Amino acid sequence: MKGCESVSNVVPSLITALVVLWLSMGVCRSQLSTDFYANSCPAVFRVVRRQLFSALRNDTRMAASLLRLHFHDCFVNGCDGSVLLDGSDSEKLALPNRNSARGFDVIDTIKTAVENACNATVSCADILTIAARDSVYLSGGPYWNVLLGRRDGLVANQTGANDLPSPFDSIDTIIDKFVAVGLNTTDVVSLSGGHTIGRARCVTFSGRLYDFSEDSSVDPTLDPSMATELQTLCPQSGGDGNATAPLDRNSNYAFDNHYFKNLLEEKGLLSSDQGLFSSDEGQAATKALVQAYSNSSSLFFRDFVNSMIKMGNISPLTSSAGEIRRNCRVVN
């Protein structure tokens, strides 16, 4: 009987511990809210929008750069602003970001303006989240209420940044990387639709233009006329690989579903883009969504918003974790 009594005492204790853990997780999640700064910094949205509008007026491509920066932040250590940190282990120096990640100066400018309005209140991670949303909206895309309340991380993770989803990855590998951070196949396709704005360097797609395989010098899933144009832009020898081409041919600065229409015509720029429709893995997992989004911008916008909210919820630091950086490039 004593053995039974001891077990009966342990079980309620275990249940209590599990309930406490579950509640604490719920509290952590609930600390992200759309009105987090309603009292402490009610002007934050207006300040960010004003500075971002000025930046886009000078460089329309900056919208895509800030959206990409948010993506690269959230996939490494969660959405904690770690991509903004300088230093020897900076994520900026990782291969996916080196010579290609942009927008750091814009975030600095926005942060300064926000600090002037509300000192030591709004995190760099939240500023990047708002800037990414507004970049989409000001490019003609959907608007959504962003969840806020993230705090800034104290360390960068260059190793993690070197394992970001890559344009050279297979579709299955990309899906696996999304699943590892709590996202799914729908998120893969909808967030890839962010490539409806922006540009990519020759180095990210030139492998499709020359010596592609034993059977074909050019990727057979790349439209021939487009391949010829890209070969002119990105010569096999003599180029530095840094010339850029639009990710969404003929609709470079408008956030729309034209990107998906291009994939149906084999006009996706990156292998990972066209692979969503044309690869064997894509045919099995992602092709149907590509077709659906190409037919319905409203469906694409709806799923994109849901995926952005999910991505923004990857491992946020809240409560007393992390800090509110005064300078997004360095810890306090």
Side-chain angles (χ1 to χ4, degrees):
M1 292 293 293
K2 282 186 176 182
C4 291
E5 289 173 358
S6 63
V7 170
S8 65
N9 289 332
V10 168
V11 171
S13 299
L14 179 59
I15 292 174
T16 300
L18 290 173
V19 169
V20 169
L21 176 61
W22 180 80
L23 286 174
S24 67
M25 291 172 66
V27 168
C28 180
R29 288 181 180 274
S30 69
Q31 287 173 337
L32 290 186
S33 64
T34 57
D35 61 353
F36 188 85
Y37 298 111
N39 296 318
S40 61
C41 191
V44 63
F45 295 110
R46 183 173 69 253
V47 173
V48 173
R49 179 74 61 83
R50 183 187 303 122
Q51 297 299 324
L52 182 60
F53 187 80
S54 176
L56 297 186
R57 190 166 50 193
N58 292 328
D59 179 7
T60 309
R61 182 186 169 196
M62 189 53 64
S65 298
L66 293 173
L67 178 59
R68 181 174 185 254
L69 208 56
H70 180 50
F71 178 96
H72 282 207
D73 183 38
C74 290
F75 264 72
V76 182
N77 291 359
C79 309
D80 66 345
S82 60
V83 72
L84 304 172
L85 288 170
D86 290 337
S88 58
D89 192 44
S90 174
E91 294 167 26
K92 299 175 184 179
L93 302 178
L95 288 176
N97 293 326
R98 193 183 306 164
N99 298 323
S100 67
R102 306 168 71 244
F104 300 109
D105 291 344
V106 173
I107 295 299
D108 290 342
T109 299
I110 296 174
K111 176 64 170 174
T112 298
V114 171
E115 285 292 302
N116 288 336
C118 324
N119 184 52
T121 302
V122 182
S123 68
C124 299
D126 275 349
I127 287 173
L128 184 53
T129 302
I130 298 169
R133 187 274 309 274
D134 283 358
S135 291
V136 170
Y137 179 65
L138 292 175
S139 299
Y143 181 89
W144 66 97
N145 293 322
V146 289
L147 293 170
L148 301 170
R150 300 166 191 80
R151 289 168 65 84
D152 296 318
L154 303 177
V155 295
N157 182 356
Q158 190 176 122
T159 300
N162 274 317
D163 197 39
L164 282 162
S166 161
F168 310 111
D169 285 340
S170 68
I171 298 303
D172 281 350
T173 297
I174 292 172
I175 290 173
D176 288 344
K177 290 181 178 182
F178 271 64
V179 169
V181 295
L183 303 179
N184 59 31
T185 301
T186 298
D187 301 318
V188 170
V189 184
S190 63
L191 291 175
S192 293
H195 286 174
T196 183
I197 54 176
R199 304 178 71 87
R201 296 181 300 154
C202 290
V203 68
T204 61
F205 58 82
S206 59
R208 305 182 69 198
L209 306 178
Y210 308 101
D211 302 323
F212 180 75
S213 69
E214 293 182 0
D215 300 323
S216 176
S217 60
V218 177
D219 185 342
T221 66
L222 178 61
D223 175 76
S225 63
M226 181 173 169
T228 299
E229 290 181 22
L230 292 175
Q231 286 171 334
T232 301
L233 176 70
C234 311
Q236 189 169 16
S237 59
D240 65 0
N242 287 318
T244 63
L247 286 160
D248 186 0
R249 185 179 173 89
N250 297 326
S251 181
N252 193 23
Y253 296 116
F255 197 99
D256 53 28
N257 68 336
H258 191 267
Y259 162 87
F260 296 103
K261 297 176 186 283
N262 275 341
L263 300 187
L264 270 60
E265 298 178 359
E266 296 188 334
K267 293 179 179 177
L269 183 64
L270 305 178
S271 176
S272 56
D273 289 332
Q274 192 58 51
L276 294 171
F277 182 78
S278 300
S279 70
D280 291 341
E281 297 164 342
Q283 301 247 347
T286 56
K287 179 179 179 179
L289 267 177
V290 170
Q291 292 172 313
Y293 293 158
S294 73
N295 289 323
S296 173
S297 59
S298 61
L299 176 62
F300 164 49
F301 282 9
R302 185 200 70 185
D303 285 357
F304 180 83
V305 165
N306 290 336
S307 295
M308 286 293 288
I309 293 171
K310 286 175 63 179
M311 185 178 75
N313 284 338
I314 297 175
S315 304
L317 299 175
T318 58
S319 187
S320 60
E323 65 181 13
I324 304 299
R325 278 184 229 142
R326 288 171 173 79
N327 178 341
C328 292
R329 293 176 180 264
V330 295
V331 297
N332 295 339

